[in-house]
């Protein structure tokens, strides 16, 4: 059962974006999961009354959540989504990859052109019309099966060359193991031979990828793309929250920022049931760390 969910901050476009992804990506569906209440909203939230609050998008069975909010944040390529097109598990994988590429590119921007690379016979990196970054890859059918979608964390800017430290920290705290890790063979002005060129690892039942940027770029993690971690009970929320939170002023409504700059939402696994309680949204807005008994 999925425990880690990538959440995307949308500037009032969550429902529209969910419908776009359901049409653009293979094996993808969407659903409005929750809506803003009609009453009890802060002044800045009033324009969103009754609109979608969260939209769930399932890509090959992996859930992605779109958060409908304002213009405060936006996604950037520091956290992207890798789409694995596996010929052994998908009919006409290359054709489906090309179709998804064309759909995502409509109104988007190419970050790495679609073509042949040493690590894949067909690969491309694109930022779509909503600023969300996708890496599309035709995988080796003889390799280990992978989910259609996995998140990739790129450590750049203030977090440059901290990928290895972060991987060890996350897997130790949340329970996981490193599946593969490759370092850069040659140092340059940005990376050294201890920097991570590519890695993938597990967090609970989920697979995550991470890397250090191979070129200098002023690109930092932001709440535009956050990682949600579901916890069973208040004791587990407290443990994970206390270990991860490193920026007190960023704590709000279950959100925190860790020492690498990554934004997390630490939530109870029964969040849906809690949010169905009377005045739950108003109660949540008054919290920093989520306290189950206060919903």
């Amino acid at each position: 059962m999925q425990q880690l969910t990538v959440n995307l901050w949308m500037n009032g476009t969550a429902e529209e974006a969910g419908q776009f992804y359901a049409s653009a990506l293979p094996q993808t569906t969407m659903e409005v999961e929750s809506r803003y209440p009609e009453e009890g909203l802060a002044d800045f939230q009033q324009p969103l009354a009754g609109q979608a609050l969260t939209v769930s998008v399932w890509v090959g069975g992996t859930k992605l959540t779109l958060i409908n909010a304002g213009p405060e944040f936006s996604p950037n390529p520091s956290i992207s989504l890798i789409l694995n097109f596996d010929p052994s598990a998908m009919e006409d994988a290359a054709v489906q990859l090309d179709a998804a590429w064309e759909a995502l590119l409509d109104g988007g921007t190419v970050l790495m052109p679609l073509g042949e690379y040493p690590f894949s016979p067909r690969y491309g990196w694109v930022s779509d019309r909503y600023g969300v970054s996708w890496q599309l890859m035709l995988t080796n059918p003889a390799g280990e099966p992978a989910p259609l979608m996995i998140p990739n964390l790129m450590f750049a800017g203030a977090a440059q060359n901290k990928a290895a430290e972060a991987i060890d920290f996350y897997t130790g705290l949340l329970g996981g193991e490193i599946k593969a890790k490759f370092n850069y063979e040659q140092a340059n002005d940005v990376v050294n031979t201890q920097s991570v060129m590519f890695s993938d690892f597990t967090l609970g039942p989920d697979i995550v990828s991470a890397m250090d940027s191979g070129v200098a770029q002023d690109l930092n993690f932001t709440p535009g793309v956050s990682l949600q971690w579901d916890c069973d009970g208040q004791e587990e929320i407290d443990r994970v929250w206390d270990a991860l939170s490193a920026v007190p002023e960023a704590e709000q409504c279950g959100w925190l920022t860790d020492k690498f700059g990554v934004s997390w939402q630490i939530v109870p696994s029964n969040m849906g049931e809690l949010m169905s309680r009377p005045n739950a949204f108003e109660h949540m807005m008054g919290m920093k760390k989520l306290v189950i008994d206060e919903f």
Side-chain angles (χ1 to χ4, degrees):
M1 183 175 180
Q2 184 178 347
Q3 193 168 4
L4 179 77
T5 303
V6 175
N7 292 345
L8 305 176
W9 186 287
M10 293 284 160
N11 182 10
T13 58
E15 192 165 357
E16 171 194 311
Q19 293 169 349
F20 170 71
Y21 294 136
S23 66
L25 305 178
Q27 304 174 24
T28 299
T29 60
M30 63 80 68
E31 177 186 10
V32 176
E33 188 174 69
S34 65
R35 292 188 177 275
Y36 282 94
E38 296 285 353
E39 300 177 347
L41 294 174
D43 289 344
F44 72 93
Q45 295 170 324
Q46 291 294 336
L48 295 168
Q51 294 189 26
L53 171 58
T54 57
V55 174
S56 297
V57 178
W58 286 270
V59 183
T62 300
K63 182 181 177 182
L64 176 70
T65 299
L66 313 184
I67 301 173
N68 211 33
E72 295 84 359
F73 305 105
S74 59
N76 72 39
S78 62
I79 300 182
S80 59
L81 296 161
I82 297 176
L83 295 176
N84 294 298
F85 292 80
D86 184 352
S88 68
M90 179 184 295
E91 186 176 356
D92 297 325
V95 174
Q96 293 200 54
L97 185 157
D98 287 356
W101 174 266
E102 290 301 322
L104 293 170
L105 186 57
D106 184 9
T109 305
V110 173
L111 301 181
M112 290 180 66
L114 183 63
E116 183 176 355
Y117 292 84
F119 51 84
S120 173
R122 195 144 187 81
Y123 167 88
W125 193 338
V126 59
S127 178
D128 70 26
R129 63 181 70 174
Y130 303 103
V132 180
S133 294
W134 303 84
Q135 299 183 59
L136 285 65
M137 180 182 298
L138 190 66
T139 59
N140 182 355
E144 184 177 349
L148 175 56
M149 182 180 71
I150 64 173
N152 173 262
L153 281 66
M154 182 171 65
F155 290 76
Q160 180 69 48
N161 296 333
K162 295 183 179 180
E165 178 188 352
I167 293 167
D168 290 342
F169 178 60
Y170 295 151
T171 54
L173 174 65
L174 302 176
E177 62 180 7
I178 299 172
K179 296 170 61 66
K181 185 170 71 171
F182 303 96
N183 294 340
Y184 286 92
E185 293 183 356
Q186 294 183 334
N188 59 30
D189 292 342
V190 179
V191 298
N192 55 56
T193 55
Q194 300 303 308
S195 303
V196 177
M197 182 174 67
F198 176 81
S199 69
D200 59 5
F201 55 97
T202 59
L203 292 179
D206 305 301
I207 299 176
V208 183
S209 173
M211 60 185 285
D212 288 304
S213 176
V215 297
Q217 49 186 326
D218 185 18
L219 188 66
N220 295 301
F221 299 114
T222 79
V225 185
S226 59
L227 303 178
Q228 177 180 312
W229 186 255
D230 295 348
C231 297
D232 289 331
Q234 191 65 48
E235 183 177 347
E236 182 64 4
I237 291 174
D238 295 346
R239 183 187 74 87
V240 174
W241 181 276
D242 291 346
L244 278 178
S245 186
V247 185
E249 57 270 26
E251 298 178 353
Q252 181 66 38
C253 305
W255 290 66
L256 62 80
T257 299
D258 71 18
K259 60 184 176 180
F260 306 104
V262 178
S263 291
W264 294 79
Q265 296 171 63
I266 308 304
V267 304
S269 56
N270 64 334
M271 189 66 173
E273 182 272 321
L274 294 175
M275 290 302 293
S276 69
R277 297 180 181 180
N279 302 314
F281 185 84
E282 186 176 357
H283 294 160
M284 181 188 70
M285 290 298 294
M287 300 184 204
K288 292 186 176 181
K289 177 176 67 178
L290 297 184
V291 180
I292 294 172
D293 289 343
E294 294 181 6
F295 275 89

